[in-house]
Amino acid sequence: MFDLNFAKDSFNQILAATPLTLIVALVATIIGLGLAILVVIAREKRIPVLSQFLAILVSFIRGTPILVQLYVVYYGLPQLLVLMNEWGWNTNPNGLPAIIIAFSAYGLNAMANLSESIRAAYHSVDSGQYEAALSIGMTPFRAMTQIVIPQLIINLIPNFTNIFLDLIKDTALIYNIGLVEIMGQANIVSSIGFKYLETYTDALIIYIIICWIFAQLFRLVEGKLRQRYFVV
């Protein structure tokens, strides 16, 4: 039978792991967004070799499970640091914090997904608007910042929201590298009382609440931007 009292007592213990979940998702999103912008610029400029390499990298990341990527970074990043050390770089591959592994793996995952979303949002803006802005005397920079980019951001928000919410849910896997987030804490608490359904239900509720709050926040931002720039 479902032990409601155990679920109530466990809820706050599992909720206490929420900050780590949010930190990993937020930092990975920031890292991924910065890298994604650089990837989009390189691919849209069609820089020889680099654009092809980035296209393959993005395809590889988007076509593999995040757990596989996490393990590749977990075992591969220290090896890369060893190699860099042999090349003369001052690196220390020993004792690499698990949180750095998580930031790196999830940041790369966010980079791949965000870069494709940014490219789609960019191409969804009518290029004629940019040309019209130039024809009335706007500089290219002003035309981009005042005409193209605001619409790009508005078009990007729905996909950005989905990617960010997916990252929050995918952080449940970082327990595999020793980080105790929401799902990891649920596993620990459930192993004490052997009541798995109760703790997993607590985790489910916490994830739903977090994702709902951020979904509403991004929807509010999108609505405000649409009102400001009169984009229908």
Side-chain angles (χ1 to χ4, degrees), residues 134-172:
L134 296 181
S135 69
I136 61 174
M138 276 191 177
T139 63
F141 177 78
R142 187 178 177 189
M144 283 294 297
T145 55
Q146 295 189 11
I147 304 297
V148 178
I149 291 179
Q151 296 183 66
L152 183 155
I153 293 174
I154 293 170
N155 294 337
L156 175 65
I157 287 178
N159 281 335
F160 182 90
T161 303
N162 290 334
I163 293 169
F164 181 69
L165 297 185
D166 284 342
L167 277 176
I168 291 177
K169 292 177 285 186
D170 286 341
T171 56

Side-chain angles (χ1 to χ4, degrees), residues 4 19 25 32 46 48 57 61-62 89 95 108-109 144 149 151 158 191-193 205 211 227:
L4 183 59
R46 301 185 183 277
L57 178 63
I61 294 175
R62 297 183 74 218
W89 293 68
L108 289 173
N109 183 271
M144 283 294 297
I149 291 179
Q151 296 183 66
S191 66
I192 297 174
I205 293 171
C211 291
Q227 290 179 2

Side-chain angles (χ1 to χ4, degrees), residues 43-168:
R43 294 186 66 185
E44 291 299 318
K45 294 290 186 180
R46 301 185 183 277
I47 300 176
V49 181
L50 180 60
S51 61
Q52 289 85 352
F53 169 78
L54 291 175
I56 294 173
L57 178 63
V58 168
S59 179
F60 171 80
I61 294 175
R62 297 183 74 218
T64 55
I66 181 63
L67 182 59
V68 175
Q69 298 165 24
L70 186 62
Y71 280 141
V72 168
V73 174
Y74 182 74
Y75 292 107
L77 186 55
Q79 294 298 319
L80 177 61
L81 293 178
V82 169
L83 186 61
M84 292 173 64
N85 203 11
E86 292 176 355
W87 289 345
W89 293 68
N90 185 20
T91 60
N92 180 20
N94 299 318
L96 195 63
I99 191 70
I100 300 300
I101 301 292
F103 289 157
S104 302
Y106 284 80
L108 289 173
N109 183 271
M111 175 270 290
N113 291 305
L114 284 172
S115 67
E116 290 299 284
S117 295
I118 293 173
R119 290 181 69 228
Y122 173 72
H123 288 292
S124 67
V125 179
D126 186 3
S127 60
Q129 297 183 49
Y130 176 78
E131 296 170 359
L134 296 181
S135 69
I136 61 174
M138 276 191 177
T139 63
F141 177 78
R142 187 178 177 189
M144 283 294 297
T145 55
Q146 295 189 11
I147 304 297
V148 178
I149 291 179
Q151 296 183 66
L152 183 155
I153 293 174
I154 293 170
N155 294 337
L156 175 65
I157 287 178
N159 281 335
F160 182 90
T161 303
N162 290 334
I163 293 169
F164 181 69
L165 297 185
D166 284 342
L167 277 176
I168 291 177

